Amino acid sequence: MSELIIKNGYVFDPVQGIKGDKKDICIKDGKIVDKVGSSAKVIDAKDKTVMAGAVEIHAHVAGPKVNLGRIYRPEDKLFSCTPTKGMERMGGGASIPTTFKTGYEYAKMGFAVAMEAAMPPLFSRHVHEEIRDTPIIDEGAFPVFGNNWFVLEYLKNQEIENTAAYCAWLLKVTKGYAIKVVNPGGTEAWGWGLNCLTVNDPVPYFDITPAEIVKGLIEANEYLGLPHSMHIHPNNLGNPGCYETTLDTMKIAQGIKPKNKFGREQVLHLTHTQFHSYGGTNWGDFESKAKEITDFVNKNKNITIDTGNVTLDETTTMTADGPFEHHLTGLNHLKWANCDVELETAAGVVPYIYSPSISVCAIQWAIGLEIALMMKDPMRCYITTDHPNAGPFTRYPRVYKWLMSEKARKAQIDSFKHKDKVLSQTVIGTLDREISLYELAQMTRAGPAKSLGLAAMCGGLKPGMDADVAIYNINPDKPVANPDDIEKAFSRCAAFIKSGVQVVSNGEIVNNGNKRTLWVNVKAKENPQVMRDINEKFVKYYSMTQANYEALGHHFVPNPYAIEVDATN
Amino acid sequence: METVTITMKNAPALYLEADTISPDAFAGKSATQIAELPVFEGNSPSTLGKYFEISGSAGATAADTKIVVRGDVKKVKYIGFKMTAGEVVIEGSTDQYVGAWMKGGKLTAKGDVGAFAATAMKGGELIIEGNAGNYLGAAYRGDWRGMSGGKILVKGNAGSDIGMYMLGGEIVVNGNTDVHVMTHAEGGKTIIKGNAASKIGGQMVEGTIFVFGSIDVMMPGFKPDGEVELEVDGTKAKFARFIGDMGERHKKKKGIIVYGNLYKKI
Amino acid sequence: MTKTITDVICPFCGTLCDDVEVVVSDDGKKLLEVANACVIGTEKFLHSQSADRVTKPRLRQEDGSWKTISYDEAADYTAKLLAKAKKPLMYGWSSTNCEAQSVGNEIAEVAKACCDNTAAVCHGTTLIAVQDIGLPTCTLGEVKNRADRVIFWGCNPAHAHPRHMSRYSIFPRGFFTGKGQMSRKLVVVDPRCTDTAKMADIHLQIEQGRDYELLNALRVALKGEWLPDTVAGIPAEKIREAADILKSGRFGIIFFGMGVTQSLSKNHNIDEAIALTKDLNEYTKYSIMPMRGHYNVTGSGEVFAWQFGFPYSVDLTRGFARYNPGDSSSIDLLCRGEVDAVFTIGSDPGAHFPISAVKAIAKVDSVCIDPHITPTSGVSKLHVPVAFNGVETGGNCYRMDNVPIDCRKVVDPPEGMMTDLDFLTMVCNRLKKLKGVA
């Protein structure tokens, strides 16, 4: 394969502690190498910033609820579709982009990897079809476990080994990446129209609490030694006062040590933290508890988080927290889609407009930024929008602008209709921190890669790692004249190399790449009991045969990349 | 006001998508420049001048521009698309999307118009001297924000699904309408001087409908609420009043529940 | 000697039964027996064995006769037809797999065509309603395990989805429904006294064309508001009684079909049914599900949606996707004389479209991809037979509840016969060359 050399750029690589030095990056056969020959193709990165490809730790980009969102929102595509252009296929969707657009937009922003945040196992074939049709970026998907009947029954009996065996089997059969938990117990309760709003509310019939589910799945995750930790969307999302449930959830992780061979140091990843950091008792006295949440995470180093920043756009919410979506449609009366999935989970979809003239939305915007600015360790706090829930991922550069420029934040605050309320209900007005380029690299590359257990492979520019390199039109040596330049620079990279092949040049797609599907292949101890239980549930309760559930042929995952885990002890 | 006259000279074999026939697209251009404006026949790009004879020149702005459309334009779509000001007169019948997404100005169709006229209209005036097709003044598919302003007058009959998801503005139909009037509406007013068919005001949250003629079948969600003397569009008469749709949600304004209103002339 | 293939997916209707067993000859060339499928599914498998199948492409001649040509020539003809056309319509897609649908999409994008599937005459109106109001739904296993109120509105599963009631909706003993049909109350709304209606605990024999009104009345009844004496031919007391029965369940499901999607009001019927479902969720748990017809029309909708953003009636003529049934939908395009070439696959518009639309197909240059001789192939200029999907080739399909199941190949197609995936791939490559595209 060809050799490339990126010359003269200012490199930001937290993996090697490079903080803006002018350094050449050498690429050969899809990997970063120490040096290349004189015939290597030169990409000049003079006056530009060079980072590893970014790593998206949580977005809803592939699968049944994403597609239900596309199907039911033709207006999301009105007047905003992009035509076929050379090798770039046509695209559309402002908040829920089509799969081609998803791959291209991430690549144009210099993203190398994206994790689909929630895969309902029964629909794994659908998730993988969409992943396959998303060009360029490597992807993985997290199957959901927190409302799964097998998990509820095993954990009720405190059978960690059986839980672990089931998790290993499900990851294999769905080619999944990690143990994802959404509204533990509450989404099974939603099968009857009910919910679990605290960690101690028992699940109807199964009679287990969310706390027990969370604890059990953390233990199963460490038992197996998976690359990523249990990844959780806690109960009570989005309600005033929910921060207490979030603290209760995180407390479960206290004292548990990570066990794995991937350099992962956390046992719990708290996702879209903004939605879980609310105080107050109603929408009138609604306030930020970002300080309480970040104080806890700052002290408890076995936790990583991602932000879930609100971008102040019209967008579409979609989550496996089915009851939350029903609650949301009750508030805004916009069209509500829902799908309960037998034995496993549910999903809901509702459009939402984060209007800057509504005080609650403005406070939500502030909370997301407060979290990023008050987290002390950028290696444990990652920037997301829970795409598309708090905003489309195409707005990441705007979020970077707000984090890197106090001036930009102040301008936004000044423009709010209810500026005074935003300042009184949050501490955003007191925060003058500006995230640096190095910290940005930690929060968007090295940090998420490490949390995912992929630190050896991506998120950095150390020789031996994958050659995913993004070059941005931002000169660290020149002070930023206009904060909008930050947004512009990160929206369209000057060049992006994925697995050693240049795929983006001057913001345009020049190659469709050869994306991989990352999944975790666990070699686990034989467990005839669990196999019998699986067999029985397929015969009696599923609407599909076990053989057809397990069928995930090559045409679904044409370029798999398995992360091997040996859990046989 | 400057006038541009375009006359169909070369009828399309298929249909012509001419969303550039609007005062906004013509403004500031000469006849030669207007002839270069893009149009599409299926996937085949072309120019306005290949299909129309163009004479006159446009005003400096949309507001100063009047367009007269002559000849057989029954297979031309999108005339008046997204116009914000100025005037358009179509001297015959035309096809779909007349005045779709218009925000201002005045558009007159002297014949019939096809479906989707005045989709999501925000302002301005649309006069249809013949009949209107289905989905007059309706929202785009999936959008809960339909027509929000402006006035539509249909001198003939209208089709089905008029004023769907309406938020504001006014539609007057001198003739009859087909099924489904102001379905899902949250505001706005529709006056039907002829006969309405059925499914009037289904799922209506707010808004007002007047029917002068007959209604074949009433929606069960509309509850009789007495009679009232009103003057509606120049006609003084007694109307039976109905409130609804009682199956739908309703908002409270100043502590009072606000319903949709249906008035049927007695 | 024979072998039995298990876990076979039946490629006929949206029920997508996956417990079928097929007995084939040891060499995999003959299909001998089918077990567990309904009569329709069994015939789907067995009729592939007909001795009189068309096995080679055939081109209509000037004198009306057919001339056999090669797949190569057929691919050339098809590519040229699509390259030349200003507004070709690529219709059908419902009886083929997602892999073929995906290549079809690529062809449509290069050709700048309109593409559409059988939802256009079926549940397209459901999709319009879903776009206007949403969709509270579930998978069929949820019905099996939880449902104690089942409503069939405007559909007749006893005939159209024969194993639906035994696999999912009425008879199964699920996790919370151990008493099977005794756990469930069945309500049927149908103007006719169908075989399904005969099984109902309550049959509302509704006046035709007034489903929208009756659904509205049920919503009004739930809110305890005033009702006229009769709605849709049903007395108000009966409506209130029905509302109470619906409300008193702990998990209800409304299944619906052509009786409401293609009768007066169309999408509005579904819209109000979805609104009723949403209202019922204020009291208990309810879902609603369309009884999809073709076994992979749902899949076509899914693939169109994730690649282009819309589930059917997609207009790609401008190089980007647009959608508006009434403008971009197949029957309107045909009847209004908007298209100059027609490509059909995995469907039979000749049998199902209004005659004026079929005449429009006959007027233009056309290709029909179908293993059968159909009214569509009858009016087309080129007929290309392909292997039966789900019988002679596998591939992913989506059930009526959007669950994806990978169909299996159980028997070889006749010698020399291509799969539609392979034929479409040939067409795609040739079309790209003609258009000068990479």
Side-chain angles (χ1 to χ4, degrees), chain A residues 10-54:
Chain A
Y10 296 97
V11 176
F12 293 86
D13 180 13
V15 171
Q16 299 176 93
I18 303 172
K19 298 187 180 179
D21 300 341
K22 241 196 215 162
K23 202 174 181 298
D24 292 345
I25 304 292
C26 300
I27 295 169
K28 183 182 171 165
D29 293 343
K31 299 274 187 207
I32 308 283
V33 293
D34 285 307
K35 54 178 187 276
V36 285
S38 53
S39 61
K41 172 159 184 231
V42 175
I43 294 178
D44 186 15
K46 179 163 181 289
D47 294 338
K48 299 193 204 297
T49 292
V50 178
M51 294 186 183

Side-chain angles (χ1 to χ4, degrees), chain A residues 99-115:
Chain A
T99 54
F100 303 132
K101 181 174 175 179
T102 300
Y104 297 140
E105 289 294 327
Y106 268 120
K108 288 177 183 180
M109 295 193 307
F111 273 74
V113 180
M115 289 295 172

Side-chain angles (χ1 to χ4, degrees), chain C residues 23-185:
Chain C
V23 179
V24 299
S25 61
D26 226 15
D27 62 1
K29 290 200 196 304
K30 281 211 205 39
L31 199 160
L32 304 168
E33 276 171 53
V34 181
N36 297 343
C38 70
V39 167
I40 307 173
T42 302
E43 186 55 26
K44 173 81 197 246
F45 283 99
L46 291 178
H47 89 314
S48 68
Q49 305 300 292
S50 307
D52 62 351
R53 273 176 76 169
V54 179
T55 56
K56 292 190 173 43
R58 42 194 203 144
L59 185 63
R60 187 75 81 176
Q61 303 300 292
E62 293 275 330
D63 64 356
S65 65
W66 288 109
K67 173 174 174 233
T68 300
I69 62 173
S70 65
Y71 276 108
D72 203 62
E73 291 166 307
D76 265 347
Y77 186 96
T78 308
K80 284 199 183 97
L81 175 151
L82 291 168
K84 217 174 40 190
K86 283 189 181 165
K87 195 159 181 172
L89 170 64
M90 298 184 72
Y91 174 82
W93 306 107
S94 301
S95 291
T96 184
N97 57 33
C98 293
E99 293 75 17
Q101 289 163 351
S102 187
V103 177
N105 284 1
E106 205 179 340
I107 295 171
E109 185 167 345
V110 175
K112 293 200 171 128
C114 286
C115 41
D116 202 355
N117 58 43
T118 59
V121 289
C122 188
H123 276 283
T125 55
T126 299
L127 293 169
I128 291 175
V130 168
Q131 290 163 349
D132 282 334
I133 195 171
L135 178 68
T137 192
C138 62
T139 62
L140 286 163
E142 285 285 274
V143 175
K144 170 173 161 174
N145 289 315
R146 299 193 209 254
D148 65 345
R149 295 286 183 269
V150 180
I151 299 99
F152 288 124
W153 196 306
C155 59
N156 185 11
H159 284 228
H161 295 89
R163 294 183 76 217
H164 190 278
M165 292 188 280
S166 51
R167 276 176 64 74
Y168 314 119
S169 50
I170 304 295
F171 299 105
R173 295 170 194 273
F175 193 72
F176 296 106
T177 51
K179 293 205 174 112
Q181 86 230 55
M182 309 303 279
S183 319
R184 300 177 173 102
K185 272 205 170 41

Side-chain angles (χ1 to χ4, degrees), chain C residues 213-224:
Chain C
E213 284 81 353
L214 182 58
L215 286 158
N216 184 226
L218 282 165
R219 291 185 74 198
V220 171
L222 277 182
K223 289 185 159 71

Side-chain angles (χ1 to χ4, degrees), chain B residues 2 62 111 146 162 194 215 231:
Chain B
E2 303 275 345
I162 71 176
I215 295 179
E231 179 171 343

